[in-house]
Amino acid sequence: MKLINIGFGNMVSSGRLLAIVSPDSAPIKRLIQEAKDRSMCIDATYGRKTKAVILMDTDHVVLSAIPPESIAGRMPEDTEEEEAEYE
């Protein structure tokens, strides 16, 4: 299990991560609101502006103040090799 730093010392499991998206579009804003209504939203922004929305396979939505490009750059390199093994 590899952990990815999403800012301010918070980590998520790379094996559980489905997508990292920008919070700007209306469908993503609806998804965030629905997750909050279901108590499945984890706010890791520490009061800052949300720059990335992380969708997990556990149906959790994680909000981060780190841009999606930075989070994607922190992904472990061997994850791509694991995906190639399954093809």
Side-chain angles (χ1 to χ4, degrees):
M1 174 180 74
K2 306 274 178 154
L3 296 176
I4 301 169
N5 184 347
I6 60 166
F8 307 107
N10 299 299
M11 309 269 192
V12 294
S13 172
S14 64
R16 295 262 182 204
L17 192 137
L18 291 178
I20 305 169
V21 296
S22 173
D24 299 330
S25 70
I28 298 301
K29 289 178 183 178
R30 275 194 303 272
L31 187 126
I32 293 168
Q33 188 57 51
E34 290 171 5
K36 286 180 180 179
D37 293 343
R38 292 181 295 124
S39 299
M40 296 295 280
C41 184
I42 301 169
D43 188 351
T45 62
Y46 281 69
R48 291 175 173 77
K49 181 181 177 188
T50 300
K51 292 185 181 174
V53 179
I54 303 166
L55 307 176
M56 310 297 287
D57 67 351
T58 58
D59 210 24
H60 284 88
V61 175
V62 182
L63 308 178
S64 175
I66 306 296
E69 299 83 16
S70 296
I71 297 172
R74 299 174 184 185
M75 289 286 290
E77 296 298 323
D78 61 343
T79 315
E80 295 171 5
E81 294 173 6
E82 291 174 5
E83 290 174 3
E85 291 177 14
Y86 295 112
E87 293 178 356

